[in-house]
Amino acid sequence: MRIAVLREQAEGERRVAATPETVRKFVALGATLAVEAGAGAAAGHADDAYADAGATIADRTAVLAGAAVILGVQGPDPAGLARVEPGAWVVAALQPTRTRAEGYAAAGVEALAMEWMPRITRAQSMDILSSQSNLAGYKAVLDAAAEYDRAFPMMMTAAGTVAAARVFVMGVGVAGLQAIATARRLGAQVSATDVRSATREQIQSLGAKPVFVENVAGIEGEGTGGYAGETSDAYKAAQAELVSGHIAKQDIVITTALIPGRAAPRLVSDAQVASMKPGSVIVDLAVEQGGNVEGAVAGEVVVRHGVRIVGHRNVPSRLATDASALFSRNLYNFLSAFWDKEAGRPLLPDGDEIGDAIRLTRGGQVVNPRLSA
Ligand code: NAD
């Protein structure tokens, strides 16, 4: 059984879906690995390292020929899969939309969208959103520090004292928790907020100050699967007021708030940006999902009212080596968990919660209910 590892084609994508480490593990399971030339170069893995791990290196057409499983970070363009084996699995972050799924269905492949992995204990080690968000939260703080012309920790020197930076993290999921921890390690004074009240204790346990609206209906924004849901208008108004007062006193704001299936919620208005001191920095990790911050631009660092608003795209790719290591292990953990020794390949039984959640297409049809026309 052959597994193909593709070189990413999207602009700015430096990650790779298999590392020499996971290639070795797949080989140990009995698979044959074919890696597209240059696939790991931007993540620090030369072709030779893949060859040493037991893979063959070839061009895209040769790699795809005869592959039963095709691995990518971002999903390959369906148009490029016309000649692959019918029923081959495409395993990647597919950014599932109906149109894209129809493309995969037309190509005859079974498209498995790793970002729709259910948030159940069994699937934790396969969860690309968690592994990539964790690194993004860390990098967001470093990006903020790099744009900030002052220091993060308090320093008492013979020439006087440098004040600690005040960092406010909005959205305390996986990325936000790591942002809090990273900012704390750098010595900042950290506060954080979320719509899910369960995060209050998590914020405190990291030594940061929770900033929460009290006594307003709709505060509990817990939706399904541990994700955020919509909050009430009363809650939104109260939150905006509380946050306004708080933001004006911050040096750094990191926003990470997402609501699955919807545009990112707007958390910081232009007026709130204007209330911050010049030289302050905002990092909007949700910029590619519509943005939490008014005025943030995907792929740019813009200056509004003297405040730098950082809107880097694809933040995990900015840590390509570690992001690839974790992403690749997520894919390996998934495929090895479903490995059928007799068949010599992974099999995803019908009715399995994981397969049902992530399978977009099969037998030339779009089969995922989330994409029903
Ligand atoms: P996410 O990326 O979907 O969103 C980031 C955060 O933004 C969330 O905490 C969300 O509540 C918050 N948010 C949304 N709207 C907001 C608003 N208006 N104001 C402030 N904050 C807002 O979240 P995530 O990182 O995917 O994590 C969501 C939850 O899932 C967490 O509790 C996490 O621990 C849990 N989780 C569970 C598993 C598992 O069990 N396998 C895996 C990963 C994450």
Side-chain angles (χ1 to χ4, degrees):
M1 199 278 305
R2 177 196 272 238
I3 299 178
V5 180
L6 298 182
R7 186 163 64 82
E8 295 302 309
Q9 314 237 296
E11 196 191 324
E13 181 55 81
R14 297 169 56 217
R15 293 170 294 173
V16 62
T19 58
E21 174 196 297
T22 61
V23 163
R24 263 190 198 94
K25 289 180 169 177
F26 282 123
V27 169
L29 286 177
T32 309
L33 273 284
V35 176
E36 185 176 349
H45 302 296
D47 288 349
D48 285 353
Y50 287 100
D52 288 348
T56 52
I57 314 297
D59 66 17
R60 198 172 180 91
T61 313
V63 160
L64 285 172
V69 175
I70 299 161
L71 303 183
V73 175
Q74 301 188 31
D77 185 348
L81 301 174
R83 290 217 211 107
V84 305
E85 300 271 302
W89 288 10
V90 176
V91 186
L94 299 177
Q95 296 169 354
T97 57
R98 177 85 201 172
T99 315
R100 207 160 159 80
E102 281 168 0
Y104 288 123
V109 296
E110 188 161 330
L112 302 173
M114 288 296 286
E115 63 267 73
W116 282 2
M117 190 60 70
R119 290 196 146 173
I120 54 177
T121 307
R122 179 163 66 101
Q124 260 175 1
S125 67
M126 314 170 191
D127 184 356
I128 57 165
L129 291 186
S130 292
S131 73
Q132 305 302 293
S133 296
N134 193 21
L135 290 168
Y138 161 81
K139 188 66 174 169
V141 175
L142 297 196
D143 284 338
E147 290 293 337
Y148 188 50
D149 292 331
R150 299 165 65 186
F152 265 42
M154 186 185 80
M155 294 184 210
M156 292 169 81
T157 80
T161 301
V162 170
R166 288 168 191 264
V167 175
F168 182 36
V169 177
M170 304 182 75
V172 186
V174 177
L177 284 172
Q178 187 55 257
I180 294 171
T182 305
R184 289 272 300 151
R185 281 185 217 123
L186 286 178
Q189 262 181 40
V190 185
S191 56
T193 192
D194 198 290
V195 284
R196 293 180 300 112
S197 56
T199 59
R200 185 194 298 256
E201 257 182 55
Q202 298 167 347
I203 294 166
Q204 276 166 334
S205 72
L206 289 170
K209 182 173 162 261
V211 177
F212 275 81
V213 174
E214 308 284 351
N215 305 324
V216 175
I219 182 178
E220 184 50 79
E222 184 103 29
T224 50
Y227 284 112
E230 274 286 6
T231 49
S232 69
D233 287 345
Y235 176 81
K236 277 186 197 147
Q239 188 196 31
E241 197 184 319
L242 176 76
V243 160
S244 282
H246 191 68
I247 280 185
K249 295 180 232 140
Q250 302 305 307
D251 301 302
I252 310 281
V253 174
I254 312 250
T255 70
T256 76
L258 294 175
I259 302 176
R262 295 177 194 234
R266 180 53 48 85
L267 301 184
V268 181
S269 67
D270 188 58
Q272 289 168 330
V273 175
S275 76
M276 296 179 76
K277 293 185 287 285
S280 302
V281 178
I282 303 177
V283 177
D284 187 346
L285 275 186
V287 71
E288 289 178 290
Q289 283 80 33
N292 294 144
V293 181
E294 190 173 355
V297 179
E300 289 184 26
V301 178
V302 294
V303 181
R304 304 272 302 171
H305 313 291
V307 175
R308 286 177 214 173
I309 307 177
V310 179
H312 291 309
R313 289 182 192 277
N314 196 352
V315 176
S317 176
R318 295 166 62 72
L319 289 166
T321 304
D322 275 336
S324 301
L326 299 186
F327 193 103
S328 300
R329 286 182 204 146
N330 292 143
L331 297 193
Y332 173 79
N333 292 337
F334 163 58
L335 292 170
S336 61
F338 288 96
W339 204 269
D340 185 293
K341 274 195 190 139
E342 269 175 38
R345 58 158 298 158
L347 296 175
L348 212 40
D350 276 343
D352 184 278
E353 194 178 355
I354 291 177
D356 290 353
I358 68 173
R359 188 185 290 112
L360 305 185
T361 60
R362 185 158 63 179
Q365 305 290 323
V366 177
V367 295
N368 196 296
R370 285 171 78 174
L371 293 173
S372 49

